[in-house]
Amino acid sequence: MTPEPSASPFNIPADSRVTVYGAHGRPEAAEFVPAGAFLAEDDGRFPADVVILFVSTAADLAHELATAAGSVESGGVLWVCYPTAEIDGVTPDLNRDTVASLFETNDWEPVGDGTLNARWSAVRGQPTGI
């Protein structure tokens, strides 16, 4: 995986439909939510070209990955954002390799990663075989 530039980690084209999962009630994620993105409040499927999933733990990612991945339209990408520093007293159990492993068990592959800030990182994925 090649690190993405940190200034604009998602590199989302202006005409893209964007759905964000896991940002509600997470003020630290607000600065990373692209303007015009649809904020999904539940685990329903909200199709988009770019799907961004914020998770705090490996268990959250395992539980929410299928829904987020299922929302990515053909040719789209999924970004999984995870904490790299303690948040709300919880030490993170996620890292780039953990996210990559969960991608692979769901027929996705990691294709890039990036640092959002000193407390958050992200891994970009796409369906295996694209």
Side-chain angles (χ1 to χ4, degrees):
M1 292 184 286
T2 305
E4 297 292 326
S6 59
S8 179
F10 301 124
N11 295 320
I12 299 171
D15 61 344
S16 296
R17 291 172 301 140
V18 181
T19 295
V20 179
Y21 291 91
H24 282 286
R26 194 183 303 271
E28 70 275 10
E31 69 181 282
F32 309 118
V33 175
F38 175 73
L39 297 177
E41 292 189 46
D42 58 32
D43 60 358
R45 183 177 182 271
F46 303 96
D49 305 308
V50 178
V51 174
I52 302 169
L53 171 62
F54 287 91
V55 293
S56 296
T57 66
D60 290 343
L61 179 56
H63 180 261
E64 298 170 21
L65 183 58
T67 297
S71 295
V72 178
E73 290 291 307
S74 179
V77 298
L78 170 64
W79 281 96
V80 172
C81 304
Y82 59 93
T84 55
E86 186 175 292
I87 292 181
D88 297 330
V90 177
T91 301
D93 64 349
L94 286 165
N95 59 45
R96 179 179 60 185
D97 295 335
T98 307
V99 175
S101 177
L102 284 167
F103 266 148
E104 292 165 1
T105 62
N106 284 276
D107 297 323
W108 279 69
E109 61 185 340
V111 294
D113 61 3
T115 299
L116 302 180
N117 66 15
R119 299 183 66 167
W120 285 86
S121 289
V123 174
R124 185 181 75 220
Q126 67 184 25
T128 303
I130 288 187

